[in-house]
Amino acid sequence: MWKPAWLEALNTQKFFVACSFHEHAKKNEKNICCLDCCTSICPHCVAAHRVHRLLQVRRYVYHDVVRLEDLEKLIDCSSVQSYTINSSKVVFLKKRPQNRQFKGSGNICTSCDRSLQEPYFHCSLDCKVEYILRQKKNLSAYLRPCKTLQLGPDFFIPHDADDDTTHSTLVDVDEPMGSSDSENLSAPCTNFVRKKRSGPYICARSANRVSDEDMATNMSRRKGVPHRSPLC
């Protein structure tokens, strides 16, 4: 009934929970399994496990899945039903019991009675491992030698915990917008209106100087209302 330690870690470790070593950092969900340390780690921990075998764990409908291409380097996954998610074939790590009784044609999982498509007999890696240990008592014939296993090129590894912090960016306007006559420019404004992630921040400058008398006249005048002559 021997089982390799990394396989036991895939079945028992909790993924997609906050990393206790980087609890104040962003993107600190533990979605990687270090096969050499037999523990789950977050992207911020990758630097300390750079030379180890790393396996990315993904999430699908609240269940943990692993790319079939990566898992096949470690263990024979034949007869385990795979699913295509985002153009990649994945397999579930743990069993997913089916609530309703299966009615119809097709195969049934050897461990959890889940309905499967032909020619599959196991709905997850855990179901196959359990079946082999129950029938043959030994997994050696199904394990594959794998000395190196690195994360895919699409995996994002943050270099700094504050990489996602929103930094304010102020763009200075070298040339005024509107009239080019420098005498008609008003003084630069000192209050900036900041908009989050909406593009450059520009200090708007009025093109023409408006006198107080003209401004009062414009505010009191209503469009479309005729001016009446004073009563005598």
Side-chain angles (χ1 to χ4, degrees):
M1 301 293 290
W2 173 81
K3 186 188 298 185
W6 62 264
L7 190 56
E8 186 69 26
L10 281 177
N11 189 39
T12 58
Q13 283 291 314
K14 290 185 178 181
F15 299 97
F16 297 95
V17 295
C19 178
S20 59
F21 297 103
H22 303 93
E23 57 183 353
H24 299 297
K26 293 186 177 181
K27 297 187 180 297
N28 64 345
E29 286 186 334
K30 298 195 290 184
N31 59 347
I32 310 169
C33 183
C34 179
L35 304 181
D36 293 325
C37 298
C38 300
T39 186
S40 56
I41 62 176
C42 77
H44 299 276
C45 301
V46 170
H49 301 260
R50 188 179 297 108
V51 297
H52 297 169
R53 295 174 298 169
L54 302 178
L55 182 66
Q56 181 182 358
V57 180
R58 303 166 190 260
R59 179 70 80 172
Y60 179 69
V61 291
Y62 304 103
H63 293 280
D64 299 332
V65 298
V66 175
R67 283 205 315 172
L68 179 62
E69 180 182 357
D70 296 334
L71 204 57
E72 281 280 5
K73 299 176 182 178
L74 301 166
I75 188 172
D76 179 18
C77 295
S78 60
S79 69
V80 179
Q81 181 163 320
S82 60
Y83 301 84
T84 301
I85 302 174
N86 295 334
S87 302
S88 298
K89 285 188 175 183
V90 299
V91 295
F92 286 89
L93 288 179
K94 301 176 182 179
K95 61 177 61 179
R96 299 168 296 127
Q98 186 163 295
N99 296 329
R100 295 180 298 176
Q101 185 178 3
F102 172 67
K103 295 180 180 180
S105 60
N107 297 332
I108 300 177
C109 181
T110 56
S111 300
C112 63
D113 296 332
R114 172 170 284 273
S115 59
L116 303 173
Q117 300 176 357
E118 295 181 355
Y120 303 109
F121 293 97
H122 315 286
C123 74
S124 65
L125 177 64
D126 186 37
C127 289
K128 178 171 182 175
V129 171
E130 181 180 317
Y131 174 79
I132 295 174
L133 292 178
R134 185 170 64 247
Q135 298 293 327
K136 302 182 179 181
K137 313 295 183 182
N138 195 348
L139 281 173
S140 302
Y142 298 88
L143 299 177
R144 294 172 176 173
C146 179
K147 296 183 178 180
T148 60
L149 185 63
Q150 298 299 323
L151 299 173
D154 60 331
F155 187 80
F156 174 74
I157 301 178
H159 298 285
D160 188 0
D162 297 329
D163 281 348
D164 293 329
T165 304
T166 303
H167 300 283
S168 298
T169 305
L170 182 63
V171 178
D172 295 329
V173 180
D174 296 330
E175 296 182 358
M177 295 182 295
S179 175
S180 59
D181 188 3
S182 59
E183 295 181 357
N184 293 331
L185 293 178
S186 60
C189 63
T190 56
N191 296 326
F192 303 99
V193 179
R194 300 184 183 274
K195 295 182 179 180
K196 186 175 181 181
R197 296 184 182 272
S198 61
Y201 308 116
I202 300 177
C203 173
R205 299 175 178 177
S206 60
N208 298 316
R209 177 175 296 174
V210 182
S211 63
D212 296 339
E213 183 179 355
D214 294 337
M215 183 178 296
T217 303
N218 293 334
M219 292 178 63
S220 62
R221 181 178 300 172
R222 297 177 60 185
K223 185 177 180 180
V225 178
H227 297 279
R228 299 179 181 178
S229 59
L231 299 176
C232 297

